[in-house]
Amino acid sequence: MALTGLQIYKLLPKTNCKECGVPTCLAFAMKLATKSAELSACPYVTEEAKNELEAASAPPVRLVSIGADGRKIEVGNETVLYRHDKTFYHQPGLVVRVKDTQSADEIKAVADAVCGYCVERVGLSLNVDGVAIENASGDTSAFAKAIEVVGSNANVALVLMSSVPATLDTVMPMVADRRPLLYAADAGNWQAMAEVARKYKSPLAVKVDCGDLSALATLTEDITKAGVTDLMLDPGTRSMVDSLQAMTKIRRLALRKNFRPLGFPMISFPGEGASSPLEEVAAASQHIAKYGGVIVLDHFDPTLIYPLLTLRQNIYTDPQKPIQVKPDVYPIHEPDANSPLLITTNFSLTYFTVAGEVEASGVPAWLLIADSEGLSVLTAWAAGKFDAEKIKKAVQTSGILDKIAHKRLIIPGYVAGMSGEIEEELPGWEIRVGPREAVDLSSYLKSLRS
Amino acid sequence: MPVTVETPTEKWAGKVREITLGATAAEGGTRTSTVTVGGEGTMPFLHFEGETPHRPVVAIEIYDIAPQDWSPILMDYWGDVVNDVVAWAKKAVELGADAIALTLRGAHPEVNDRSPEDSARVVKDVLAAVGVPLIVYGPGAPDKDNEVLVAVAEATAGERLALGLCEQNNYRTIAAACMGSGHIAVARAPIDVNIQKQLNILISDMGLPLDRILMDPTTGALGYGLEYTYSVMERLRLAALQGDAMTQQPMICTAGHEAWRAKESKVGEGVPEAWGDWKERGIAWETVTATSLIEAGADILVMRHPEAVAIVKKTIDQLVAK
Ligand code: SF4
């Protein structure tokens, strides 16, 4: 929680020496409170005061990063419980677990698949972030081998799962430069675990049983005191309802009460409470919406990953700014003066869906994007942001008139009712009603040609 | 040093209204089972904070004629029953439907232009064939919706059906029909808290009691605006809990309709390999759409693929478990 000017003043030397550039310590404190000065400008502030001030200005959920260059997971720094209150900032990392009891070929197949997976959506490429390697065998050399198989190949973030600190200490030199997440410290091993994390400067997960948040907070306090501050929390809950409640409590305590011991991102295992891959997807989708930081999946299947990546993109879209594209004329497949002209709105999803279908049709066409303030066709129409007048304006001011030699405009099927009005606004134009759904555009455009 | 963590509970002034769909013989209808939704006094499934007295339910959507624009994945699954609405309804109940959502698509002027009387007869046939409550949607052409739903409402008076859709510019006729015959109105607003609230007020001002109005916040499918629906639902639920009486209606979401018109579910060829297997993808698309909306506060999910329904019902089992 931010400190007031007076609270900060109490921590300053109170000598009014002016070296910070302002006349008094109090004035300097006021500037610090409004973030218009840096603490480093005062040469006399004590180490203790510095720590206290830094702690007070730290974000309520610590930003933790896993991995090095290449794929890096950065989670935390969230400020709201509901995305509509502002936005969620750091999307959870999705990682896939392998076990060192699997064959090298199996492990390699998963690592390759995770590493190579990429899908385009709304102009962005979506990826899976990493691989978790579990020391299920209990054998250090098997673990090292699995890490080698994954590590040699993959430019992905790593999670190393073992409850034995010595095992992690042995394998860490192989991959320490990649800053893997170590999973996990618990009540029994935390001192030695913290030592390993400190030695290699790695982030460390902290785990308790069955949602015991008091035990979790006690552990993180001890571990932070031992000098490890990049922590992730596993409250140990595995069923959907227990996870939902524990993860909500943790995030609420961090944000509403500024409760430092639980002010860390979370790690979860949706597959452990599920009895089928699709159930795992249902649980994982809960973790995406409700406060997951690193989500460890037990299956890699494009069919199941793609919906989760899409959901993650949806939930982490900033609700204050609808994604928009620039209102403009977009040529597809080098259209000429006689190519069809389609109009739609500048909501980016609308644009990408329509443009994608026109591209897939292979038919050269002009796509005219009207300024609907980022709303989709139906919503814009209902809000008066995509009416006959706006359409007229788009046609007349976009420059399309210099590019085509015909006066035929294809409008989205959902606004068929407007065609009369548009004809009135644009005398001499023929208004054609296209399909309601973009998915039907391809056959529609092909039928225009024949 | 042991740290003690206190449970961060929020106190709420209001809760969601309870609504019962369907009426048994004793209540003036013919249903053998009814469904009660709503009553939540917490954000979804936070049992440490407040009650969730009724579980969310799943209605399976069927058409009165064989659908022409459904994904082949759905058509393959259902097979021949799509040609016989009664058989289809029975099959849906066997597969776990808590209610049937019957869309009278055949009444659409551009489809079969079935008459209001004949459409009402179809509804009666389905009522005779199954014991669960019914949600009945018009064909999706405003004037015909009104004619058809008025005829349905009269022919089924006392059954406590849910009838939809009441929208901002077309709600009076359907709401009035619900009023006279004891049915429930489904009020749909275009992903907008204020319009939703306004519509609820308009309908209740006509005299329809608030325990007979369901809210449909308009569903965006996964990848197609889901996040808008998700946030509007969270905002409506928060407003309800804060005591705003006009946002306390249980919510109904057409997850199946929306998820299955997404390209991901509808199209199997010429799509990126990274999309994976078509059939499973469609089911996953509907599942993730539905479960995300449940997390945001949905009370009734209208769905299409029984395999997605099965997973969603298991998810609900997990979420309501204390
Ligand atoms: S430099 Fe430090 S001690 Fe000197 S006036 Fe500024 S705040 Fe006070």
Side-chain angles (χ1 to χ4, degrees):
Chain A
M1 207 130 330
L3 298 178
T4 64
L6 272 182
Q7 284 169 322
I8 297 171
Y9 173 68
K10 287 187 187 139
L11 300 168
L12 294 178
K14 305 192 192 79
T15 55
N16 301 335
C17 76
K18 302 189 180 50
E19 277 183 46
C20 55
V22 289
T24 62
C25 292
L26 181 61
F28 184 63
M30 292 301 172
K31 289 193 112 182
L32 285 177
T34 58
K35 297 203 163 56
S36 50
E38 292 284 334
L39 186 60
S40 56
C42 168
Y44 305 109
V45 66
T46 63
E47 210 44 41
E48 250 167 70
K50 209 185 257 173
N51 288 343
E52 203 167 320
L53 285 166
E54 262 161 23
S57 63
V61 180
R62 187 178 174 83
L63 186 69
V64 175
S65 65
I66 301 163
D69 306 342
R71 263 171 228 165
K72 194 168 174 181
I73 301 173
E74 260 198 338
V75 282
N77 249 359
E78 299 300 337
T79 59
V80 292
L81 287 167
Y82 301 107
R83 57 187 291 285
H84 63 256
D85 281 335
K86 178 99 178 105
T87 186
F88 291 167
Y89 291 98
H90 292 97
Q91 62 177 22
L94 289 174
V95 310
V96 180
R97 166 160 54 183
V98 295
K99 297 183 177 177
D100 65 0
T101 45
Q102 290 172 281
S103 74
D105 286 348
E106 279 176 287
I107 294 173
K108 183 160 166 40
V110 173
D112 285 352
V114 167
C115 189
Y117 189 81
C118 177
V119 63
E120 287 280 317
R121 209 182 157 80
V122 208
L124 297 170
S125 47
L126 312 181
N127 298 295
V128 185
D129 303 279
V131 177
I133 307 153
E134 182 179 338
N135 181 212
S137 67
D139 175 45
T140 307
S141 63
F143 194 36
K145 201 141 185 244
I147 294 169
E148 198 185 328
V149 171
V150 175
S152 69
N153 138 314
N155 195 17
V156 290
L158 299 176
V159 181
L160 303 185
M161 303 177 65
S162 164
S163 55
V164 183
T167 302
L168 289 171
D169 195 19
T170 310
V171 297
M172 268 306 272
M174 300 169 66
V175 286
D177 56 330
R178 298 175 62 166
R179 232 179 111 74
L181 171 67
L182 303 180
Y183 180 96
D186 58 32
N189 69 12
W190 70 267
Q191 278 118 328
M193 256 328 171
E195 201 40 56
V196 177
R198 225 160 54 114
K199 180 167 162 193
Y200 298 100
K201 300 191 176 57
S202 261
L204 175 65
V206 183
K207 162 179 114 169
V208 292
D209 289 333
C210 318
D212 184 346
L213 301 189
S214 294
L216 189 56
T218 304
L219 264 177
T220 61
E221 281 284 86
D222 287 339
I223 294 173
T224 349
K225 281 197 193 110
V228 180
T229 48
D230 280 345
L231 303 181
M232 295 203 70
L233 310 176
D234 176 3
T237 45
R238 291 298 180 264
S239 80
M240 284 183 76
V241 71
D242 291 343
S243 289
L244 177 67
Q245 296 186 89
M247 292 169 85
T248 303
K249 286 179 191 170
I250 288 173
R251 189 50 53 85
R252 271 191 190 174
L253 286 162
L255 295 184
R256 296 260 158 94
K257 310 270 182 212
N258 203 29
F259 184 64
R260 297 287 173 193
L262 297 180
F264 299 96
M266 292 174 253
I267 180 168
S268 59
F269 298 85
E272 290 188 6
S275 55
S276 73
L278 206 49
E279 279 182 55
E280 180 181 19
V281 166
S285 58
Q286 172 182 291
H287 298 309
I288 288 171
K290 292 295 176 190
Y291 317 128
V294 167
I295 301 173
V296 183
L297 300 166
D298 284 320
H299 297 89
F300 179 84
D301 175 352
T303 313
L304 304 176
I305 287 285
Y306 178 41
L308 290 177
L309 292 171
T310 306
L311 179 67
R312 182 175 73 174
Q313 184 183 37
N314 284 173
I315 296 290
Y316 279 77
T317 293
D318 184 349
Q320 322 288 333
K321 334 180 187 129
I323 316 179
Q324 307 186 12
V325 293
K326 192 168 149 254
D328 205 346
V329 179
Y330 294 83
I332 299 173
H333 293 308
E334 300 172 13
D336 61 27
N338 293 313
S339 301
L341 170 64
L342 301 99
I343 190 166
T344 190
T345 69
N346 78 327
F347 176 41
S348 72
L349 184 60
T350 306
Y351 165 78
F352 282 107
T353 316
V354 171
E357 291 303 325
V358 176
E359 244 158 57
S361 76
V363 179
W366 299 98
L367 181 55
L368 176 55
I369 297 299
D371 185 1
S372 67
E373 296 173 27
L375 299 176
S376 66
V377 170
L378 268 182
T379 324
W381 172 76
K385 314 266 189 220
F386 188 59
D387 57 12
E389 218 172 294
K390 294 257 164 152
I391 289 173
K392 171 188 170 181
K393 197 172 153 218
V395 169
Q396 292 183 336
T397 62
S398 61
I400 183 65
L401 296 176
D402 303 333
K403 297 186 168 78
I404 55 171
H406 64 81
K407 290 185 166 185
R408 288 182 304 272
L409 177 65
I410 300 164
I411 62 170
Y414 277 112
V415 294
M418 282 204 301
S419 42
E421 287 166 58
I422 303 170
E423 274 168 2
E424 276 172 36
E425 293 281 346
L426 290 169
W429 280 70
E430 182 191 333
I431 305 303
R432 294 187 171 180
V433 177
R436 290 157 77 100
E437 305 292 350
V439 91
D440 301 318
L441 265 171
S442 185
S443 57
Y444 174 81
L445 287 171
K446 284 180 192 151
S447 76
L448 286 183
R449 276 224 277 204
S450 54
Chain B
M1 250 245 301
V3 181
T4 310
V5 171
E6 279 176 35
T7 301
T9 310
E10 310 212 332
K11 292 252 173 296
W12 300 111
K15 60 176 187 172
V16 179
R17 219 161 250 117
E18 291 187 342
I19 293 192
T20 300
L21 276 75
T24 61
E27 295 154 348
T30 61
R31 302 302 78 211
T32 53
S33 65
T34 64
V35 157
T36 301
V37 292
E40 301 93 334
T42 166
M43 287 305 279
F45 314 108
L46 302 181
H47 304 305
F48 63 86
E49 179 156 292
E51 277 224 86
T52 303
H54 307 292
R55 48 181 287 140
V57 298
V58 176
I60 292 184
E61 184 182 15
I62 65 173
Y63 274 18
D64 61 338
I65 52 155
Q68 292 148 331
D69 57 353
W70 280 25
S71 167
I73 302 291
L74 287 168
M75 298 304 276
D76 285 352
Y77 183 91
W78 287 110
D80 281 343
V81 295
V82 301
N83 299 306
D84 175 353
V85 65
V86 163
W88 195 355
K90 284 184 173 159
K91 182 99 202 202
V93 172
E94 270 169 41
L95 291 168
D98 301 308
I100 295 290
L102 170 60
T103 299
L104 296 170
R105 184 75 187 149
H108 198 287
E110 285 158 26
V111 184
N112 287 1
D113 205 16
R114 184 179 267 153
S115 72
E117 297 69 38
D118 288 347
S119 298
R121 208 162 301 130
V122 171
V123 177
K124 295 280 274 186
D125 290 346
V126 173
L127 281 168
V130 299
V132 298
L134 247 61
I135 300 158
V136 180
Y137 291 114
D143 293 341
K144 194 67 186 283
D145 282 349
N146 289 344
E147 286 173 44
V148 167
L149 292 176
V150 166
V152 169
E154 280 168 10
T156 60
E159 292 281 8
R160 220 176 158 86
L161 312 181
L163 299 180
L165 296 163
C166 287
E167 294 181 272
Q168 214 180 355
N169 41 19
N170 185 33
Y171 65 90
R172 293 188 153 270
T173 310
I174 299 168
C178 290
M179 222 148 47
S181 43
H183 297 308
I184 294 160
V186 181
R188 175 181 286 182
I191 317 193
D192 186 306
V193 171
N194 294 323
I195 297 176
Q196 183 73 66
K197 197 174 154 182
Q198 181 67 17
L199 184 58
N200 296 347
I201 293 173
L202 289 169
I203 295 173
S204 82
D205 280 355
M206 284 178 64
L208 190 65
L210 282 167
D211 69 352
R212 277 164 51 200
I213 303 173
L214 288 170
M215 308 196 274
D216 174 343
T218 300
T219 300
L222 175 63
Y224 295 87
L226 175 78
E227 70 273 32
Y228 296 93
T229 304
Y230 180 91
S231 283
V232 156
M233 291 173 70
E234 288 200 330
R235 289 173 59 200
L236 283 164
R237 172 65 76 83
L238 284 166
L241 295 176
Q242 282 152 7
D244 180 345
M246 287 300 158
T247 57
Q248 291 172 339
Q249 309 314 117
M251 294 188 272
I252 178 169
C253 293
T254 51
H257 175 90
E258 296 302 329
W260 285 99
R261 79 193 178 98
K263 182 173 184 178
E264 282 77 359
S265 323
K266 230 177 160 177
V267 181
E269 277 169 32
V271 300
E273 208 174 303
W275 285 18
D277 175 73
W278 182 23
K279 174 175 168 253
E280 289 298 321
R281 177 172 74 239
I283 294 167
W285 217 259
E286 185 177 21
T287 302
V288 172
T289 301
T291 55
S292 303
L293 297 174
I294 290 171
E295 304 278 0
D299 294 283
I300 304 174
L301 277 305
V302 182
M303 298 185 58
R304 287 189 176 170
H305 199 297
E307 288 177 34
V309 169
I311 298 290
V312 167
K313 290 191 75 162
K314 276 188 96 166
T315 300
I316 295 170
D317 288 342
Q318 283 211 37
L319 287 170
V320 297
K322 299 262 160 67

